[in-house]
Amino acid sequence: NAGVTQTPKFQVLKTGQSMTLQCAQDMNHNSMYWYRQDPGMGLRLIYYSASEGTTDKGEVPNGYNVSRLNKREFSLRLESAAPSQTSVYFCASSETGDERAQYFGPGTRLLVL
Amino acid sequence: QKEVEQNSGPLSVPEGAIASLNCTYSDRVSQSFFWYRQYSGKSPELIMSIYSNGDKEDGRFTAQLNKASQYVSLLIRDSQPSDSATYLCAVNTYTGRRALTFGSGTRLQVQP
């Protein structure tokens, strides 16, 4: 039981390049989330998917798109990376409902030059 | 006012002492409260959840919730150097998004 997995662990991009961050969970959770974490800013929600087939914007969605591929997988895409998107990205999952605890993946460190 | 506020620290305590970490939240109707521990370079790890007023104990950890004062705290008894980490408070705030809101975290340093 791996929990929440993320790939890649680390990525360097040039400004304007695109990439997709992958996330998968094996806990049979309905809800999945993408956060970014910057020094002094805490965790900020980018997008979330309350259940398979639905996605919603979070606090900082600009510059990102998501796809809930199936119940297990939730990907985050940067279409045209900017230096301001340099951050650590965490995927999380939970049972249905915003009152449920979330469980995090190991994170992806992204550097945009 | 931030929805979930924590003192950034660092909070420094000697080994064996009680560490007290505090969190305030602004949404009076919040129902679920969580504490996460995050070691440097790692992802947040759930350590406690609390839903009702009062205390909840789990090993060396005690979570305390006071909904009237909109205040949740985490006590760590017999603090160990391995407890040195950043502790994140998370609350379900009804902002129209079905997700938790996280505080910025308090950095705890346990001195040997």
Side-chain angles (χ1 to χ4, degrees), chain A residues 33 35 37 40-43 45 48 50 57-59 90 96-107 109, chain B residues 2 31-32 34 36 38 40-46 49 51 88 92-94 96-100 102-104:
Chain A
Y33 312 84
Y35 292 91
Q37 188 174 40
M41 300 291 290
L43 286 161
L45 183 66
Y48 68 103
K57 294 179 180 180
E59 182 185 356
F90 290 105
T96 302
D98 61 341
E99 71 278 12
R100 301 290 191 171
Q102 295 178 15
Y103 299 87
F104 286 81
R109 294 183 178 275
Chain B
K2 289 184 182 177
Q31 298 293 324
S32 305
F34 305 93
Y36 288 81
Q38 186 175 23
S40 180
K42 300 296 185 181
S43 60
E45 172 193 10
L46 178 70
S49 60
Y51 302 94
L88 305 172
N92 73 319
T93 56
Y94 289 87
R97 294 189 295 265
R98 299 190 64 187
L100 299 177
F102 287 80
S104 298

Side-chain angles (χ1 to χ4, degrees), chain B residues 1-2 8 12 20 27 32 40 49 63 66 68 76 79 83-84 99 105:
Chain B
Q1 181 187 3
K2 289 184 182 177
S8 61
S12 185
S20 178
D27 190 342
S32 305
S40 180
S49 60
N66 184 326
I76 306 174
S79 295
D83 294 325
S84 297

